[in-house]
Amino acid sequence: MTYLRKFLNKALLISSSFVAVTLYANEKTDYNMPVGVTEVSTKIFDLHMLIFWICVVIGIIVFSIMFWSLWKYRKSKGAVAADFDDNFWLEVGWTVAATLVLVYMAVPSTQVMVEAYDDAEGEINILVTGHQWKWHYQYLEDDVGFFSNLSTSQEQIDGDMPKGEFYLREVDEPLVIPINTRVRFLITGNDVIHSWWVPDFAVKQDAVPGFINTAWTNVPEPGIFRGACTELCGIKHAFMPVVVRAVEQEEFDAFIAEKVALVEAERMLTSKVWTKEELMERGESFYATNCSACHQANGKGIPPVFPALEGSQIALNDTDRHIEILMEGVQGSAMAAFGNMYSEVDIASVITYTRQAWSNGENGDGVIVTPKDIVDYKNKIDL
Amino acid sequence: MSTIVETHDHGHHGPAKGLTRWLFTTNHKDIGTLYLWFSFIMLFIGGGMAMVIRAELFQPGLQIVQPEFFNQMTTNHGLIMVFGVIMPAFVGLANWMLPMQIGAPDMALPRLNNLSFWLLPMAFGILISTLFMPEGGPNFGWTFYAPLSTTYAPSTVNFFIFSVHIMGVSSILGSINIITTIFNMRAPGMTLMKMPLFVWSWLITAYLLIAVMPVLAGVVTMMLMDINFGTSFFNAAGGGDPVLFQHVFWFFGHPEVYIMILPAFGIVSHIIETFSRKPIFGYSSMVYAMASIAILSFVVWAHHMFTVGMPLAGQLFFMYSTMLIAIPTGVKVFNWVATMFKGSISFETPMLFSIAFVALFTIGGFSGLMLAIVPADFQYHDTYFVVAHFHYVLVPGALFGIIAGAYYWLPKWTGNMYDEFLGKLHFWLTFISVNVTFFPMHFVGLAGMPRRYPDYALQFADFNALISVGAFMFGLTQLLFLFIVIKSIRTGKKAKPEVWEGAGDLGLEWTLSSPPPYHSFTVQPQVK
Ligand code: HEM
Ligand SMILES: [Cu+2]
């Protein structure tokens, strides 16, 4: 008897703590689904809350009957068991009731689904490509694009430095889109499957190699929106966030103009005559953003998964293979084919850099590779 | 039905001595015991991996392990818990209880039974050994999506494939044995619709296993070909389709999740009727519900793939079919509650675990229903919300079912009552820690934390710390369970044949002595 009272008290305590945690989480809106900023995301949020409350109501009904029975018909109070074991109409009744509730849920779910699913062309179309482990954005109308890398430092991750406010949610170059414009994303993967998620737009779409998925959004207000990769894609799955900056149309136009100009400038650079120092300087910064995550800043890599570059025979004495690896990648490894992702200047400078850096300059042939060498390589392959 | 069936001792029929008893045994109880101990050991190995995961996630930043090892931990934790804990534990319970519940002396195919068990240590020996190889073990998640698990996998993936094949063979052989036993060895008078619900649940589960384990074998074989023989089933560059992998995997995978819950439905039904002292409400609707869950489970697989890029009609179809499963699932919950209603209820440890099962499994069913709503799933998918969902159905669901069954039948197996005080202590510590661990995951997921992340943004820190504390408490508490089990094997109040008050009328197993004779029923009982 006293034991039972204790039991029921506990049951009460426990169920109220479930409710308390839920309320706390709802109160602190960071712990509920974000309402988001688009029409679709708002509708999805409302749908989520509707289904949630339906579940809560069903839960309250079922659990109160159950706990009340446990309390009322406890043996220690002398309850004697009835011996019915079936009731046809009751079975039919609750089956029908459950079906009706489900239909009630299915109607709005279908409506929202039809609205979210729409692959008509956008006013702006952006090709989003998942790479191990960064996102590439290509503006199809203007034919400009760039990579977006995690900008949180390794020191913060390793705990050698205090973590910043946007720890693991910041990138060197966010995707920029104009507000009040229908933007369509064409999403694909370069190596393994990734998934591109921006909670505030309620857009989550897998980036599957060889296939192009579509998603769209129309953002009504400027702001910075942060998301993540949500399909396990290897070691740095947690380190390739998505950041989208929504801006006014004028700012967007300026952004694109600047990008177009940059591409022009880059083309000019290819024909320029480069000194070793210029290549080294450019190569070092390129290495830091694009290579050091795997091969490490000190060139020692993380063997056996990521080979060391310092002392590697290829980096010391085999220029042709060095160029080839950078251009074509290594099948089945995280080493991607950078040839069609970066400019000739970038590729040449990073090769030059890795042939000079650390002890490689002293121990190897120290050959300098120029953008022209890369252009020559491309021409040779095209033949 | 309280007569004790006498044991015939023909001399050569007792257990052999020493190690050979376990190596060569064809006895259903010995094999059941092997399965149960195997899964218990794997529970601690897989649990240890979970502790590594939670230790790393206790705080943001990388402290204990590097992402590469973290991925190996999540992958192997999942594989071991699914294939090495839940499934073998259910097979162990089936081995012990099916012959006793249907009035048979043993399983129909005893040598096959021995083989099915001994394949398992080999399979898991191979799997776990990969962790010690230079390239490390599987690191692509328990769902091993291609091409991460093919083109981009460590070469140890071949061991993983071999190991999955062996597990599959073991499950298929076990299922053939169970089906054969149920169809051929029931006591006279035990018609199908008089079979105990645990027997029914296993009959249906065994059919599911036979249907889907070959699909799993097929998908890993396709991987093997892609990796070693130059085919391109899942390689887009060669004209293949990475999404095909997911369709085939989940065609196996969704029935698999029901394989992991149906036997628990059976166990819990017996326990609730025993401690409510009232026959199960709606026996036949319970059977139909399980059968319809099993059939529906073949047409819902793509609800795991709502973000993969399916046509609208596909998304809607899989949404509706998934919602449909909630109906038979709900019916089962209603029936359990109706069984308690107007009963005469006492709260021994198995009953406590079963009540918790009904309540917490239902919470898992609710989150499942939410996940079925496609547009909402765009936000939930691959976040901790999904992790919360499947842990609610698998831990306080499947695992609680197993633990409840263990307490319920331990006195029958060992002849000794377990320590009721310690059992209740075990229950309360487990109940509290399981919720501290998994309930907050719903909110971490809604707030946007993706799953399979070794490191996370700062706003998730407080709940993650709480989750880790709960997880450590849960892990430690299971050592208490180990202690209770060992204690009841060695000492304890002697158990009567019926063990639980009034259970003598509930099933044939309670008419045998505790512990039961080595060959359960040497004379078939008559069922009225
Ligand atoms: C009312 C019944 C249920 C419904 C409607 C349901 C629905 C779902 C849905 C839609 C997902 C996919 C979520 C996503 O990835 O976005 C899911 C995942 C999952 N469910 Fe359920 N579920 C139910 C019951 C169960 C049961 C009984 C089990 C096992 C005992 C289970 C185990 C799982 C597992 C393991 C996953 C995750 C697999 C993974 O991605 O690793 N579910 N469920
Ligand atoms: Cu499923």
Side-chain angles (χ1 to χ4, degrees), chain B residues 142 250 257-258 303-304 368 371 377 381 389-390 393-394 451:
Chain B
W142 86 276
W250 285 114
V257 307
Y258 282 100
H303 67 210
H304 296 271
L371 288 164
D377 184 67
H381 177 67
H389 159 68
F390 67 74
V393 284
L394 286 171
R451 61 192 287 209

Side-chain angles (χ1 to χ4, degrees), chain B residues 35 51 57 59 67 71 76 78-80 105 122 140 149 176 207 243 303 308 318 375 446 451 465:
Chain B
Y35 266 110
M51 298 300 109
L57 292 176
Q59 280 185 349
N71 288 349
N76 286 279
L79 289 168
I80 288 178
M122 290 187 224
F140 28 67
S149 64
I176 291 175
Y207 272 108
V243 177
H303 67 210
V308 91
F318 286 105
L446 290 176
R451 61 192 287 209

